[in-house]
């Protein structure tokens, strides 16, 4: 369905994901889930993976969802969504927006296979990943999205590996639309959801969703941390349409990664008496590579 | 129409006549022929359904879960490792009360790898909240699928139809395949009870804190018990419509004046019946109780038909390692404690990993329990392959 630029850029507030849920204050994922639901509209089915979002939003008998909500397991949201879509096709129902959603762990680790299968089969499903860079629901353990240096409860000395690059892996399935977004820019995030839903086939949106509890920052700083993630080059913002990278968000003034790292307790050990350890330079190198790769 | 047909093909044709909207499966021996045949039936346009080729059994089960939750009649089939890989979803489907039908082409479980038949795979799922129906032959396997959709949809419980891998799935036998019209008359269109639908948004799969969880299990257990009525009604209804008895709760053979009773399930009952006939000619009275519905377990039926029988032997193709016969303990539990005293219930494990169960072995079993009760014995064990140091 074609939408005018005006419609695409409108911020939607429909309260389809209501307040009163049990997320921590300043939870990026709670905000993101609301923005996604409101951008999708009433004619949407949410297939949600086990994780923080599911736990804080769907306790019986008072879930926060005012669109149909379907939860099965930690690692099968994409396959469940495939089944919902198949049912709609077989029963000649719809059209309907089907959105599979989950955290970084359910997306890139344990649920990777189901998601890859959904992409490869070409289901008309949008997959939204809420990336808070660890398994938060079970107490902040490392995932394959945990960035270099970050301390989690299973990497107490700091994570030794680099983050898996899921948006590019998604795009390499040959799906028509991939985008990244952060929760500080409502308009951009919702425009991407609306754009994705207007495209037939599998879509992937990767949203950086700060977690005050796991990242060790004050809830009020979630928005600022998102901006710094972009301005340092740590989290590039772009779309990939039919395999081509477009709409790259340019960084107005490049900021050193230290500014981003210093706000978060999980990186505290990277600074000894205020002085950065060598890992900080390595993280700066990752940001530089992103800047070069996407021409940020 | 009577056809000389492979078991898998017969099942596929009957499943197709039930008009599932969504089919999803992943290949594993000996289930493969069923889904290949269904793929062909869909491909040729003889069945209007979505056939979803997935990347694993785990995904297949998840796809049919999603499809069923969105209002589709959904079907899958698997065996062995595939069923084990589905395990998490299998429990979830039952907890969500989704009336999915799945064929388990029974096969042994690794390690060591074995593609051949026993019933350990479906046994591993016995506590999940699925109705489990066991077929004796390919006629029954076919008929049970037609009944399964009706039972599932009336009870909001998933149904697993178990048929012995290779012995049934790959055997050519005459099977009476019904006319599509008969099946349409027997099985009404699926009217889902609880679905995800933007027109009336609700949550399915909410999480339950300790104030609520226990009751969900109680309700599921009671629903399983209550499904007994539906299973019996549907099989009676089936007999009326199609003119033959298939399925039900239990079946008996020459039980009335039997001095010794064999309890078993699946295709081995065919051999057992032959043995019973032969022994009858020799003047021995042996009877059979065949379990068709393994879950819910026909405890009361078993008690009713066996309460006067003092010598019982349970023959099964599965084992709880470190405990013994699974079916045997179910049967032992069917008798009130006080009555057990002088009743002998022997337990034999046989046929694991596709080991043939020859008539002579069954005869040996009968003759042995005629003399003394047997706590647990593996039938046909080759002692030369076992060394003390491995134990
Ligand atoms: C098969 C399985 N393994 C482990 C778990 C435990 N578990 C539940 S949620 C979760 C972590 C979720 O992490 P993520 O997907 O990143 O979501 P988040 O909570 O961080 O938003 C884990 C490990 C589970 N539910 N199922
Ligand atoms: S732990 Fe993190 S992701 Fe989970 S609710 Fe709290 S802030 Fe949100
Ligand atoms: Mg996470």
């Amino acid at each position: 369905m074609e939408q005018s630029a005006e419609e695409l850029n409108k911020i939607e507030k429909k309260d389809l994901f209501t307040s009163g849920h049990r997320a921590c204050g300043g939870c990026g994922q709670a905000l993101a889930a609301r923005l996604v639901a409101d951008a999708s509209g009433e004619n949407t089915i949410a297939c949600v993976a086990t994780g923080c979002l599911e736990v804080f939003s769907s306790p019986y008998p008072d879930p926060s969802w005012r669109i149909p909500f379907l939860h099965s397991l930690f690692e099968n949201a994409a396959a469940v969504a495939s089944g919902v879509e198949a049912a709609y096709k077989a029963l000649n129902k719809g059209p309907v927006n089907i959105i599979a959603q989950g955290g970084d762990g359910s997306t890139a680790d344990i649920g990777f296979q189901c998601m890859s299968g959904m992409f490869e089969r070409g289901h008309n499903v949008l997959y939204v990943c809420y990336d808070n860079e660890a398994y938060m629901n079970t107490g902040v353990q490392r995932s394959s999205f945990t960035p270099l240096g970050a301390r989690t409860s299973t990497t107490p000395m700091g994570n030794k590996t680099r983050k898996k690059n899921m948006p590019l892996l998604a795009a390499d399935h040959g799906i028509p639309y991939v985008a990244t977004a952060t929760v500080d820019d409502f308009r951009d995030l919702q425009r991407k959801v609306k754009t994705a839903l207007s495209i037939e086939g599998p879509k992937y949106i990767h949203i950086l969703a700060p977690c005050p509890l796991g990242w060790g920052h004050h809830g009020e700083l979630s928005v600022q941390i998102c901006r710094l993630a972009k301005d340092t080059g740590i989290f590039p913002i772009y779309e990939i349409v039919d395999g081509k990278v477009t709409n790259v968000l340019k960084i107005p003034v490049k900021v050193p990664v230290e500014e981003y790292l210093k706000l978060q307790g999980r990186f505290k050990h990277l600074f000894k008496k205020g002085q950065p350890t060598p890992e900080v330079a390595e993280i700066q190198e990752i940001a530089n590579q992103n800047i070069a790769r996407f021409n940020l | 129409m009577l056809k000389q047909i492979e078991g898998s093909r017969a099942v596929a044709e009957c499943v197709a006549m039930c008009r599932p909207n969504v089919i999803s499966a992943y290949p594993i021996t000996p289930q493969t022929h069923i889904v290949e045949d269904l793929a062909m039936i869909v491909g040729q346009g003889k069945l209007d359904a979505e056939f979803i080729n997935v990347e694993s059994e785990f995904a297949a089960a998840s796809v049919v879960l999603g499809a069923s939750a969105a209002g589709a009649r959904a079907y899958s089939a698997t065996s062995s490792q595939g069923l084990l890989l589905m395990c998490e979803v299998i429990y979830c489907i039952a907890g969500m009360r989704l009336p999915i039908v799945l064929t388990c082409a029974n096969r042994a479980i690794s390690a060591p790898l074995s593609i051949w038949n026993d019933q350990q795979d479906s046994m591993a799922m016995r506590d999940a909240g699925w109705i489990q129906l066991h077929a004796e032959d390919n006629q029954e396997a076919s008929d049970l699928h037609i009944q399964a959709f009706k039972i599932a949809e009336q009870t909001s419980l998933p149904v697993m139809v178990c048929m012995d891998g290779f012995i049934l799935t790959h055997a050519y036998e005459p099977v009476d395949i019904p006319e599509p019209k008969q099946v349409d008359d027997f099985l009404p269109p699926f009217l889902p009870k609880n679905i995800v639908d933007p027109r009336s948004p609700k949550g399915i799969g909410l999480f339950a804190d300790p104030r609520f969880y226990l009751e969900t299990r109680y309700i599921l257990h009671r629903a399983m018990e209550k499904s007994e009525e539906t299973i019996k009604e549907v099989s009676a209804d089936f007999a009326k419509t199609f003119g033959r008895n298939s399925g039900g709760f239990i079946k008996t053979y020459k039980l009335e004046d039997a001095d010794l009773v064999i309890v078993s399930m699946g295709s081995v009952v065919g051999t057992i019946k032959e043995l019973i006939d032969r022994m009858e000619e020799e003047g021995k009275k042996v009877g059979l109780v065949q379990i068709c519905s393994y879950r819910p377990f026909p405890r009361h039926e078993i008690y009713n038909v066996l309460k006067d029988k003092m010598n019982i032997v349970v023959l099964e193709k599965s084992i709880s390692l470190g405990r013994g016969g699974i079916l045997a303990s179910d049967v032992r539990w069917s008798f009130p404690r006080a009555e057990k005293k002088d009743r002998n219930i022997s337990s034999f494990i046989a046929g694991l990993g596709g080991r043939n169960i020859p008539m002579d072995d069954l005869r040996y079993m009968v003759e042995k329990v005629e003399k003394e009760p047997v706590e647990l014995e593996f039938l046909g064990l080759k002692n030369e392959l076992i060394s003390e140091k491995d134990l």
Side-chain angles (χ1 to χ4, degrees), chain A residues 22-30 52-53 56 132 136-137 209-214:
Chain A
R22 301 160 180 198
C24 315
C27 172
Q29 188 166 205
C52 264
L53 171 62
F56 69 64
N132 54 23
M136 296 314 178
N137 185 50
C211 162
L213 184 94

Side-chain angles (χ1 to χ4, degrees), chain A residues 126-155:
Chain A
L126 166 61
Y127 194 103
V128 176
C129 169
Y130 301 110
D131 176 13
N132 54 23
E133 302 190 323
Y135 300 147
M136 296 314 178
N137 185 50
T138 35
V140 198
Q141 295 88 9
R142 176 201 179 269
S143 80
S144 64
F145 277 11
T146 300
L148 184 72
R151 190 175 260 171
T152 68
S153 57
T154 50
T155 52

Side-chain angles (χ1 to χ4, degrees), chain B residues 71-365:
Chain B
R73 181 175 283 166
Y75 170 82
S76 188
T78 192
S79 295
S80 181
Q81 309 308 123
L83 187 62
L84 262 58
L85 189 60
M86 285 183 177
C87 177
E88 231 196 324
V89 194
I90 290 289
Y91 270 75
C92 205
I93 285 169
M96 294 166 90
R97 303 291 300 269
L98 298 172
I100 289 164
V101 171
L102 178 140
T103 309
C104 175
N106 285 108
R107 163 181 156 181
I109 283 173
S110 289
L113 187 140
S114 163
I115 60 166
W116 290 278
N117 166 249
D118 66 34
Q119 293 169 351
Q120 195 71 47
D121 49 1
S122 56
M123 269 300 175
M125 300 298 141
R126 71 187 172 163
D127 302 330
W130 282 60
I131 293 171
Q132 279 193 9
L133 307 176
H134 278 261
E136 169 185 354
D137 53 24
N138 283 334
Q139 185 66 62
E140 194 167 53
S142 309
D143 294 346
L144 282 177
H145 281 86
I146 300 170
Q147 298 179 36
F149 283 100
K150 193 161 176 164
I151 295 166
E153 289 163 17
Q154 282 187 10
T155 57
S156 296
L157 290 167
V159 178
M160 189 179 297
V161 180
C162 304
M163 61 190 294
D164 284 324
F166 289 115
I167 300 170
L168 295 185
T169 53
H170 289 53
Y172 279 76
E173 291 174 7
V175 177
D176 188 357
I177 305 283
E179 294 302 317
K181 168 84 174 61
Q182 284 179 291
V183 178
D184 284 340
D185 290 344
F186 177 75
L187 178 66
F190 176 34
L191 297 173
K193 295 198 180 89
N194 205 12
I195 58 168
V196 279
D197 181 357
R199 285 168 305 181
S200 79
K202 56 166 114 35
I204 301 185
L206 305 185
F207 90 80
D209 69 30
R211 288 173 300 163
F212 304 111
Y213 185 88
L214 183 69
E215 287 69 24
T216 68
R217 296 284 110 177
Y218 175 78
I219 291 166
L220 192 50
H221 176 62
R222 291 302 307 275
M224 281 291 287
E225 287 186 333
K226 243 182 78 195
S227 70
E228 171 180 347
E229 291 158 32
T230 313
I231 294 167
K232 287 177 179 166
E233 273 166 29
V234 169
S235 105
D237 194 10
F238 185 92
K240 227 181 340 174
T241 315
F242 296 89
R244 62 177 166 268
N245 277 316
S246 253
F249 232 46
I250 60 168
K251 288 195 264 188
T252 61
Y253 186 71
K254 301 197 173 165
L255 189 62
E256 209 149 293
D257 50 354
D259 301 320
L260 186 149
V261 181
I262 304 173
V263 180
S264 197
M265 60 187 189
S267 61
V268 71
V269 301
T271 325
I272 296 174
K273 283 184 196 168
E274 254 185 83
L275 175 77
I276 290 173
D277 292 347
R278 287 196 201 173
M279 294 195 107
E280 191 179 35
E281 284 164 20
E282 297 158 19
K284 276 189 184 165
K285 290 175 184 157
V286 182
L288 167 74
V289 173
Q290 174 192 348
I291 290 175
C292 185
S293 166
Y294 177 61
R295 285 289 182 271
F297 191 73
R299 172 190 186 177
H300 300 296
E301 258 70 7
I302 288 187
Y303 175 71
N304 284 338
V305 298
L306 293 181
K307 59 177 179 290
D308 302 324
K309 305 292 178 192
M310 300 314 276
N311 204 359
I312 297 164
V313 53
V314 180
L315 177 77
E316 63 187 297
K317 294 181 176 179
S318 56
I319 181 165
S320 171
L321 299 169
R323 169 71 169 83
I326 305 172
L327 184 58
S329 38
D330 285 326
V331 171
R332 283 172 178 150
W333 158 86
S334 301
F335 298 93
R337 263 194 168 282
E339 291 201 14
K340 262 200 214 155
K341 263 196 207 123
D342 34 356
R343 190 192 313 271
N344 293 329
I345 303 178
S346 300
S347 171
F348 277 78
I349 311 292
L352 300 189
R355 179 69 56 88
N356 192 23
I357 308 178
M359 184 91 69
D360 283 350
D361 283 6
L362 294 179
R363 179 185 285 276
Y364 156 85
M365 173 184 83

